[in-house]
Each structure stands twice: as structure tokens, then as C-alpha cells.
Amino acid sequence: GDSVTQMEGPVTLSEEAFLTINCTYTATGYPSLFWYVQYPGEGLQLLLKATKADDKGSNKGFEATYRKETTSFHLEKGSVQVSDSAVYFCALSVGGTYKYIFGTGTRLKVLA
Amino acid sequence: DTEVTQTPKHLVMGMTNKKSLKCEQHMGHRAMYWYKQKAKKPPELMFVYSYEKLSINESVPSRFSPECPNSSLLNLHLHALQPEDSALYLCASSQGPELAVSYNEQFFGPGTRLTVL
């Protein structure tokens, strides 16, 4: 079945460090891929998305490239800030369904 | 308006109470969702409404009863809940199936934090 695997957290970084959160997927068909962010006590916010292979999603300094050959959608940011501390969810949506498959989430803590 | 709103923000109820959660969107989306999220876990899909009709029920206990009065509103009626039902309840919406469902970008509300005593 379809699935999303994210790296285990928590990830703790110093401010201005480089961030990578790994996400790999298995899916039948051609999924769309998403990164959502959840700040403490809040709902999920869409961070970025990619709908086909080699698409690069970007937003607020975060980037992720849809790699079909490695079935990956890793999240990166060149310089994290304390305000980036949150839980990050990778998700996929397969055409023809309403369902999202979420990864387990990766908690990021950025220290000043 | 690209916002999904949910009320109330917090809810505490006893196991014999009846309460309702409300969700609203004005983006013209025709699909609306209820999710349950436990601490440190991803959201779990409960229900999907498409064009105001129940499309998916993920084998949710009958003490949870969804309702979609119109294309902008989604309710979740709660009755005789158990303490293990305490969680964050998230509502989401997305465009309808006449568009490419593979581009199923869901917009989430801030959630209702439910505590069952």
C-alpha cells in the first residue's frame, strides 16, 4: 500500500544551521507530495507542494524537490530560525482518492 | 478568503454530554474533512464529505456523527464520548472532484482541543 516514511525526530539545531528532513514514499500511480508544518497548539499549514516529478516546491526559505527515481521529497532550509521550531509532516495524495497519507512527523527545535 | 475556521477552540465535556464542533470555509471547496489527532501523532482521517454527501467514513464509532448542512459548513456531533476520544479535532477542505484529485491540496483549520472527562 501507499506509505510515507519520515526521519525520526526530534531534530535539534542551532539558529542559522542547515536543515534537512528526509521523506521517502511508496505509491501506486503518480502522487502529489506536500510538506505541512504544525506549530504548537495549532492546526496544519501547507508549507510547500509538488505535483509531478522534478517539481521543486518552495516557501519561506524551505525547499523540496520531487524525486521520482529515489521516491523522495526531502525538506531543506539553508538557515533555520528559532521561529521554525515546529512539527513537520510529509504527506502524499494519490489521484482518484481524497486520502492523504501522512508521515509520522518530525519535531524540529531550533536553539538561539 | 483562504481560511478554514473552527469553533470552539477548546471543549471540555463529560461522558454523558452532547456537544458539537463546527467548521466553516468560504473558498468554494466542495470536499470537507474531519481528522482526529492525538499528541505526537499525524492526523487520522475520520470522515470526508464531497458535495455535501458523506463519501468516506473510516469506521468511526457512532458516538461521532458528522453533518454537512451546506457546502460551507461541516459539523461533528459528539455524544457519549470516552476519555480516549480526547484529542485535537481538525477540519480541512479541498477543491471538488471535477478538478484533478491528484492535486488534492487540503486547507486545515486551527482545530478544536477536546477533553473528555
Side-chain angles (χ1 to χ4, degrees), chain B residues 6-17:
Chain B
Q6 289 187 245
T7 55
K9 190 170 175 61
H10 299 278
L11 179 63
V12 179
M13 60 186 291
M15 290 190 285
T16 58
N17 292 158

Side-chain angles (χ1 to χ4, degrees), chain A residues 96-100, chain B residues 32-34 45-50 53-60 66:
Chain A
T97 78
Y98 288 102
K99 292 189 180 182
Y100 265 17
Chain B
M32 296 185 75
Y33 309 73
W34 281 116
L45 183 65
M46 300 174 72
F47 302 103
V48 180
Y49 272 83
S50 175
K53 287 186 170 51
L54 184 63
S55 178
I56 295 175
N57 177 343
E58 291 286 280
S59 302
V60 179

Side-chain angles (χ1 to χ4, degrees), chain A residues 3 8-10 14 16 19 29 34 37 41 44-45 48 50 58 69 78 82 95:
Chain A
S3 66
E8 290 287 326
S14 298
E16 299 184 4
L19 169 71
F34 306 88
V37 58
L44 275 68
Q45 298 176 27
L48 53 84
S58 61
E69 63 276 12
V82 172

Side-chain angles (χ1 to χ4, degrees), chain A residues 32 34 36 38 42-44 46 49 51 89 93 95-100 102-104 107, chain B residues 31 33 35 37 41-43 45 50 58 88 90 97 101-106 108-110:
Chain A
S32 295
F34 306 88
Y36 281 85
Q38 187 172 32
E42 298 185 11
L44 275 68
L46 180 67
K49 60 181 182 278
T51 59
F89 290 98
S93 174
T97 78
Y98 288 102
K99 292 189 180 182
Y100 265 17
F102 282 98
T104 52
R107 184 173 301 275
Chain B
Y33 309 73
Y35 287 87
Q37 187 181 25
K41 297 290 186 182
L45 183 65
S50 175
E58 291 286 280
L88 181 68
L90 294 165
V101 181
S102 62
Y103 192 79
N104 186 24
E105 178 179 340
Q106 295 185 20
F108 284 81

Side-chain angles (χ1 to χ4, degrees), chain B residues 5-81:
Chain B
T5 59
Q6 289 187 245
T7 55
K9 190 170 175 61
H10 299 278
L11 179 63
V12 179
M13 60 186 291
M15 290 190 285
T16 58
N17 292 158
K18 286 185 180 180
K19 297 286 184 183
S20 296
L21 309 185
K22 181 179 173 181
C23 173
E24 194 165 3
Q25 58 87 14
H26 295 287
M27 294 178 277
H29 288 170
R30 304 315 298 266
M32 296 185 75
Y33 309 73
W34 281 116
Y35 287 87
K36 174 182 178 181
Q37 187 181 25
K38 301 286 272 186
K40 299 186 179 181
K41 297 290 186 182
E44 299 173 24
L45 183 65
M46 300 174 72
F47 302 103
V48 180
Y49 272 83
S50 175
Y51 287 88
E52 301 159 47
K53 287 186 170 51
L54 184 63
S55 178
I56 295 175
N57 177 343
E58 291 286 280
S59 302
V60 179
S62 59
R63 58 185 183 270
F64 295 91
S65 176
E67 179 196 20
C68 190
N70 60 56
S71 60
S72 300
L73 280 175
L74 186 65
N75 298 320
L76 186 63
H77 303 297
L78 313 173
H79 173 55
L81 294 194

